Amino acid sequence: MTLTTHATLGAVIGHATGNPLLAFIFGFISHLLIDMIPHGDTGIADNYKIHKRRRKQAIAYVMVDAVIAIIFVLLLANTRDIESMRAYSFGIIGGVLPDLLVGIYEITKTRLLRWFNTMHFFFHDYFVKRKGDVPLYYAIMAQIVLIAYLQTKL
Ligand SMILES: [Zn+2]
């Protein structure tokens, strides 16, 4: 999923729990679970891993995704009366952290994170492996609809 989707879901979980620690834990778990829904990024991952020439495009996708997510959660924080800023923040942190860990693993290949990387992609690829992926365009449209819905829950 896009980081904006993970971050917004984390924010809603923060709002629902009202507790920073629970927000963090459930935000983290929500990442793995929502990633199970096929969301069109298999091609991007393959571009990065196999087709070296298209690497730049995959990296650009991640950069655009990350900056949009930052802007979006800041806009939410500045336009809503967030009851617990701590729960909001830790929900978001838990929601996006798995992809940070996967990114650090991709860069360092450290053994400390190998198990986590494997677990992340166990969830991420669970249905994609069996049923195939969906086109990225539709997946992004669906995520915009989901984000539009989720932000009403804040
Ligand atoms: Zn992920």
Side-chain angles (χ1 to χ4, degrees), residues 56-97:
K56 267 191 186 166
Q57 202 181 20
I59 294 167
Y61 176 89
V62 173
M63 278 164 44
V64 169
D65 184 21
V67 175
I68 290 174
I70 291 167
I71 293 172
F72 189 72
V73 295
L74 283 175
L75 283 177
L76 286 178
N78 283 283
T79 54
R80 307 296 169 86
D81 285 317
I82 307 289
E83 284 162 41
S84 168
M85 192 46 79
R86 277 196 198 136
Y88 174 85
S89 302
F90 276 91
I92 294 168
I93 293 169
V96 298
L97 189 63

Side-chain angles (χ1 to χ4, degrees), residues 17-92:
T17 63
N19 175 296
L21 181 64
L22 290 179
F24 178 81
I25 293 168
F26 287 119
F28 195 94
I29 293 168
S30 80
H31 182 118
L32 300 174
L33 295 181
I34 200 170
D35 257 359
M36 291 178 82
I37 304 168
H39 49 273
D41 61 2
T42 308
I44 296 169
D46 289 349
N47 280 348
Y48 184 81
K49 287 180 183 143
I50 303 157
H51 315 289
K52 301 255 149 103
R53 271 192 301 145
R54 304 199 74 181
R55 231 172 212 209
K56 267 191 186 166
Q57 202 181 20
I59 294 167
Y61 176 89
V62 173
M63 278 164 44
V64 169
D65 184 21
V67 175
I68 290 174
I70 291 167
I71 293 172
F72 189 72
V73 295
L74 283 175
L75 283 177
L76 286 178
N78 283 283
T79 54
R80 307 296 169 86
D81 285 317
I82 307 289
E83 284 162 41
S84 168
M85 192 46 79
R86 277 196 198 136
Y88 174 85
S89 302
F90 276 91
I92 294 168

Side-chain angles (χ1 to χ4, degrees), residues 6 31 35 99 120:
H6 287 304
H31 182 118
D35 257 359
D99 280 349
H120 175 270

Side-chain angles (χ1 to χ4, degrees), residues 3 14 27 40 42 45 55 58 61 69 76 99 110 115-116 119-123 128 135 141 145-146 153:
L3 285 166
T42 308
R55 231 172 212 209
Y61 176 89
L76 286 178
D99 280 349
T110 172
W115 68 274
F116 182 77
M119 185 180 74
H120 175 270
F121 285 103
F122 170 80
F123 286 98
V128 167
M141 289 300 145
V145 172
L146 177 63
K153 301 291 155 199

